[in-house]
Amino acid sequence: MPVERPDALPAARRPHRLSGGLPGLLAPGATTDPYRLRLYRLLRTDHPLGYDPALGAWLLSRYTDVALALTDPRFTGYPHDGAPRGRAPVPLGLCRGSLVCGPLTVPWSTAAPAVERTAYVLARRIAGRDRADLVADFCRWLPAGAAAAAAGLAHPDLSTLPRGARHRRTGGGAGGCTGTTALREHALASFLANMLDDPDLLAAATAGEAGGGAGGAGSGALLGRAWAETLRRDPPVQIVLRRTRTEVAVSGGTLPADAPVACLIGAAGRDPARFAAPDRFDPLRADADPLLIGPAGCPAALLGRLEAEHGLRALLAAMPGIRWADGFRPVAGGFLTRGPRALLVSPS
């Protein structure tokens, strides 16, 4: 069925259009950094519902509208109808594989040590250098080792994985969900950038190893909250596509039936109507929301958290004095998928 356009709607229901010089989502400037350009802010405040002809979808940017599209049965998957409906969150964040996540092909007690060993091997390789790029030398390799572990290799040999394999499905577990590593690379890089930006948070995480940590919680609890906060503030997937099954009223107007809808996860995660000081990275925030993390039991999401926690611990163990290289500041790039392009550090 052809998708209805804004001028096909009754005048009383016509939503705001992207106009007045506002760039579309796929405009060159917007694809570089929608946060710095305040594109998301403009969409939330002035254009809560609009049609982007280049993307071919209606845009939802406010948290309440995005949450509705992710959980309400009046929305379904796009382009496939088989995506989940109802209150369970749809595939989101790191969950980009099978629509129905299956269990890992190896026990978690086997996969977790393999991830830990891989992280420590990679960290020790970097430790002796004067300067290293954690994106190229760590974040791109740790998920590959974890994917091999999820496929049943208790001792993954990273030297056997060609560079191109890091972005393909390298394992067969959970319907291939854990084998696609590119998104986990972005998420791990964003997590490390956020942690290295906050020496006090790093110190709290290190102290937690001895049983202390924030509020008496161990480092696992603190790092878990930091990982969830990273997925809220710096999601590796900025857009999730849905489709309306019927007309749906949202805050900016009414979506037509059978229409593609782009849920702007990056905008919803920083909506000040939902999150206090939304641009601030705060693992201890009281308004944390699990919705934007995705399905809790997804193997890819579970592996991603393991990679973040073991990865940071391995780096701190091998390089206790790790810091940003002189003059370096991390800069994220990309729009449909997003993460730091480089993380230059001095290992000691």
Side-chain angles (χ1 to χ4, degrees):
M1 180 180 297
V3 177
E4 295 182 73
R5 298 298 191 258
D7 53 2
L9 294 176
R13 294 183 178 179
R14 185 174 298 134
H16 296 293
R17 294 286 304 275
L18 294 179
S19 59
L22 184 66
L25 288 182
L26 300 183
T31 58
T32 301
D33 194 340
Y35 296 108
R36 184 173 58 84
L37 293 175
R38 300 183 178 180
L39 174 60
Y40 285 158
R41 181 183 301 179
L42 287 171
L43 289 172
R44 285 193 306 261
T45 58
D46 299 340
H47 304 272
L49 179 62
Y51 185 81
D52 188 323
L55 189 64
W58 296 83
L59 307 181
L60 296 180
S61 54
R62 292 179 177 175
Y63 175 87
T64 54
D65 296 331
V66 169
L68 182 74
L70 294 178
T71 59
D72 194 285
R74 291 174 294 175
F75 293 82
T76 186
Y78 181 82
H80 304 296
D81 289 339
R85 301 172 181 170
R87 298 299 301 172
V90 304
L92 175 68
L94 298 179
C95 184
R96 309 302 297 170
S98 171
L99 292 175
V100 180
C101 290
L104 291 170
T105 56
V106 295
W108 199 246
S109 59
T110 300
V115 174
E116 182 178 17
R117 282 192 298 269
T118 304
Y120 276 89
V121 168
L122 292 171
R124 285 194 294 267
R125 290 180 182 176
I126 298 171
R129 305 178 189 176
D130 294 330
R131 182 181 171 111
D133 178 3
L134 294 183
V135 171
D137 301 326
F138 191 82
C139 297
R140 290 179 181 168
W141 290 105
L142 181 54
L153 300 178
H155 300 277
D157 181 3
L158 294 180
S159 66
T160 65
L161 296 174
R163 290 182 65 86
R166 296 195 311 266
H167 293 273
R168 297 196 300 267
R169 296 187 184 276
T170 58
C177 181
T178 58
T180 304
T181 62
L183 295 180
R184 303 211 309 276
E185 294 171 15
H186 292 322
L188 177 59
S190 294
F191 171 78
L192 294 178
N194 287 330
M195 296 298 290
L196 289 171
D197 258 350
D198 192 335
D200 292 337
L201 186 58
L202 274 182
T206 305
E209 294 292 336
S219 65
L222 177 60
L223 294 182
R225 293 179 69 101
W227 171 247
E229 175 71 345
T230 294
L231 295 181
R232 175 201 69 84
R233 181 180 179 271
D234 304 295
V237 174
Q238 296 277 305
I239 298 177
V240 170
L241 294 178
R242 303 288 279 160
R243 182 175 62 81
T244 56
R245 303 177 64 211
T246 183
E247 286 189 348
V248 181
V250 292
S251 63
T254 300
L255 285 165
D258 196 41
V261 178
C263 300
L264 305 185
I265 306 300
R270 298 200 191 189
D271 188 343
R274 173 61 181 80
F275 300 101
D279 293 329
R280 185 178 67 208
F281 181 75
D282 181 9
L284 301 180
R285 64 170 55 249
D287 55 3
D289 188 344
L291 175 65
L292 297 180
I293 300 175
C298 172
L302 294 172
L303 276 178
R305 174 172 170 169
L306 268 185
E307 291 156 8
E309 294 184 8
H310 287 306
L312 181 64
R313 288 172 177 150
L315 290 171
L316 292 177
M319 299 164 275
I322 189 173
R323 65 186 187 280
W324 293 130
D326 292 342
F328 175 79
R329 291 295 306 159
V331 176
F335 179 61
L336 297 180
T337 60
R338 186 171 178 82
R341 300 184 183 276
L343 296 175
L344 301 182
V345 298
S346 296
S348 60

